[in-house]
Amino acid sequence: MSKRIGLFMYGDVQAYPPTVNAANILNEEGYEVFVVHIPNPTTPDKIEFNNGIKILKLKSFRLKIFGYGYVLLKLLFLSKKNNLQCLISYDSYSVLPAFLCKKLLGINWAYHQHDFWEKPIGLFQKVLFKLEYLIVPKADIISFPQTQRAEIFKFRCKKDIEYIIVHNGPRLRWSKYKSNHDSIIKKPGEYYLIYQGGIASVFGLKNLIYALNLCENNIKLVLVGKELEIGFIKQIKLLISELSLEDRVFFNTENIPYNQLHGFTSQCTIGISKLTIPESSAPINDRFLAGASNKLIEYLAAGLPIILAESTDNIKFFASKDVGEYCDVSNYTEIAKAIKKIIEDNDRLLRISQDNQTLFDSYLNFDKQFGIFLKALYQLEDKN
């Protein structure tokens, strides 16, 4: 009998590249994979599953409690019907249904916290978040994409949980895809900074615009991502106009297909991380990025030096490796200095570019990272 494993998310799995990658790798490792999720027709770029992966779709209900009850019962039914031996769940909403499958059906349960939403909205979500801290320690495998998030979760659980770290990022083969996007056409002597991610005030984008204004005219900026804060792009464009930077800042808020993103990114010179102030009141997802941010690893895959916050988790994550420049992201003058420091030393820029690609190819690609989870899964199967 084949090994049957389910991946469950109370949302659209195809919006999360690492989750799709996990399903595909399991499929390639000989597992019969079932993906249980709630597809969202507004997800702009559907990342492709391997052929042979079975997609089990759930309905979405406006009434949260009723809809949640339906999902809970439906997951139990689908797990029983398809004789699943293990279930991987990915978010706060998935915890209780997955735990009940473990208790009632004897299924192994692995929990991976792909997002850390620590501020609940409403009583229903508050209860689910409390249950997450209470129930997750009972999972057979617990994994996180980033160490600081794991330690915060462990502290809130008030239990000495054991966990593994599986960093987010693209697969090794993703860096081989070419882009059909020709919107970046560099002239000799031009340098392009690229920022990929949500467009909102907490990510330090105004400071980035001010920093660009202190740089030479041959340094330009591409912003790729969705507006997450209504009216913020309008504020940014007004600032760009006030500083007369219209010919140096380019927006790409339309969706770039995931398999073309590498080709687009690799046309640029420097990758800009989210410039969230580490000590700010920003959400944990936005403060602790090293290992959890797909974008950081995508910059490595494209061979880009990175500008990132001078935070403890960033410095520890990259250890002594020269991946770019750390800076005080609360000070736009320091951001400008960091950008200039990379561009003005061409030999170092080329060396970092090669070293960052090597770091991705040898260690930080998702194939290598997910091997850590596979090892834990094999040990669990042997134990049973």
Side-chain angles (χ1 to χ4, degrees):
M1 183 176 66
S2 66
K3 297 180 288 185
R4 295 181 162 219
I5 193 165
L7 287 81
F8 170 52
M9 181 183 289
Y10 196 84
D12 194 338
V13 167
Q14 289 185 279
Y16 295 92
T19 311
V20 176
N21 290 340
N24 288 341
I25 292 173
L26 287 164
N27 170 256
E28 292 159 18
E29 289 294 315
Y31 287 88
E32 194 170 353
V33 179
F34 298 78
V35 174
V36 186
H37 73 143
I38 302 173
N40 186 349
T42 64
T43 299
D45 181 24
K46 298 289 188 183
I47 305 160
E48 294 301 317
F49 289 109
N50 289 352
N51 291 331
I53 291 178
K54 299 173 177 61
I55 312 299
L56 308 176
K57 299 177 182 179
L58 301 173
K59 295 179 182 178
S60 179
F61 291 89
R62 288 187 178 181
L63 295 174
K64 288 185 178 179
I65 296 177
F66 175 77
Y68 192 66
Y70 154 80
V71 168
L72 193 154
L73 294 173
K74 188 73 173 180
L75 184 66
L76 281 165
F77 170 75
L78 291 172
S79 299
K80 177 73 173 176
K81 177 184 176 183
N82 293 290
N83 192 29
L84 299 185
Q85 285 116 37
C86 182
L87 192 63
I88 309 172
S89 67
Y90 281 88
D91 51 30
S92 302
Y93 287 83
S94 73
V95 168
L96 182 58
F99 171 68
L100 288 177
C101 285
K102 172 180 171 62
K103 294 298 289 184
L104 299 178
L105 302 178
I107 294 174
N108 289 329
W109 172 33
Y111 176 67
H112 181 76
Q113 193 201 56
H114 76 120
D115 271 331
F116 205 132
W117 302 115
E118 77 275 22
K119 294 183 179 179
I121 301 172
L123 179 61
F124 179 66
Q125 201 174 75
K126 188 174 182 179
V127 170
L128 288 180
F129 284 17
K130 290 285 187 183
L131 284 174
E132 183 178 21
Y133 293 123
L134 183 66
I135 295 175
V136 164
K138 303 178 188 300
D140 298 292
I141 300 172
I142 303 170
S143 58
F144 297 86
Q146 202 264 356
T147 305
Q148 278 71 20
R149 299 180 188 208
E151 286 300 310
I152 291 169
F153 191 92
K154 181 177 176 179
F155 174 77
R156 292 181 180 180
C157 280
K158 299 179 181 178
K159 289 185 181 294
D160 188 23
I161 61 172
E162 293 185 7
Y163 60 82
I164 57 175
I165 298 294
V166 179
H167 300 309
N168 285 337
R171 295 193 67 177
L172 190 57
R173 66 189 185 197
W174 179 83
S175 65
K176 313 306 177 191
Y177 290 115
K178 303 301 179 185
S179 176
N180 295 327
H181 287 266
D182 59 359
S183 53
I184 301 176
I185 304 175
K186 286 194 291 189
K187 297 175 183 176
E190 283 187 339
Y191 301 91
Y192 276 79
L193 316 175
I194 183 168
Y195 166 86
Q196 296 178 30
I199 298 179
S201 57
V202 73
F203 303 141
L205 295 182
K206 284 189 176 180
N207 272 353
L208 180 58
I209 301 299
Y210 281 121
L212 182 69
N213 190 49
L214 298 179
C215 297
E216 289 72 17
N217 290 335
N218 62 341
I219 300 174
K220 304 178 187 295
L221 171 65
V222 183
L223 299 171
V224 181
K226 299 178 185 176
E227 183 178 42
L228 301 182
E229 185 177 330
I230 296 173
F232 185 68
I233 286 183
K234 187 176 180 180
Q235 294 178 37
I236 288 287
K237 287 185 175 180
L238 180 61
L239 178 61
I240 290 167
S241 176
E242 289 173 353
L243 298 174
S244 301
L245 295 174
E246 292 93 339
D247 62 339
R248 294 176 58 196
V249 182
F250 308 95
F251 287 87
N252 195 319
T253 54
E254 295 182 6
N255 179 62
I256 299 174
Y258 186 66
N259 283 349
Q260 294 183 25
L261 185 58
H262 173 265
F264 184 90
T265 304
S266 59
Q267 296 175 61
C268 296
T269 314
I270 296 176
I272 309 292
S273 175
K274 288 180 179 177
L275 303 178
T276 312
I277 299 171
E279 297 79 19
S280 70
S281 59
I284 288 171
N285 272 343
D286 301 320
R287 281 188 288 133
F288 299 114
L289 300 172
S293 170
N294 288 298
K295 303 308 173 191
L296 279 180
I297 312 302
E298 287 166 9
Y299 293 152
L300 297 179
L304 301 188
I306 309 169
I307 303 294
L308 64 172
E310 192 173 23
S311 63
T312 302
D313 63 304
N314 282 336
I315 293 169
K316 281 186 175 180
F317 181 71
F318 289 113
S320 59
K321 297 179 181 66
D322 185 11
V323 297
E325 284 293 323
Y326 303 102
C327 62
D328 176 1
V329 297
S330 67
N331 186 331
Y332 63 83
T333 302
E334 295 301 312
I335 299 172
K337 285 181 182 178
I339 293 167
K340 292 177 183 180
K341 192 172 179 181
I342 292 175
I343 288 175
E344 290 172 357
D345 187 344
N346 191 61
D347 289 343
R348 179 178 175 233
L349 192 158
L350 293 174
R351 176 177 54 75
I352 293 175
S353 176
Q354 184 60 55
D355 288 349
N356 284 1
Q357 275 189 313
T358 300
L359 181 59
F360 172 77
D361 291 343
S362 63
Y363 175 63
L364 285 176
N365 60 81
F366 193 76
D367 302 71
K368 190 80 170 181
Q369 289 299 308
F370 197 69
I372 300 167
F373 180 89
L374 284 173
K375 182 179 178 181
L377 182 61
Y378 296 151
Q379 289 174 345
L380 178 63
E381 291 170 346
D382 290 344
K383 189 187 298 183
N384 293 337

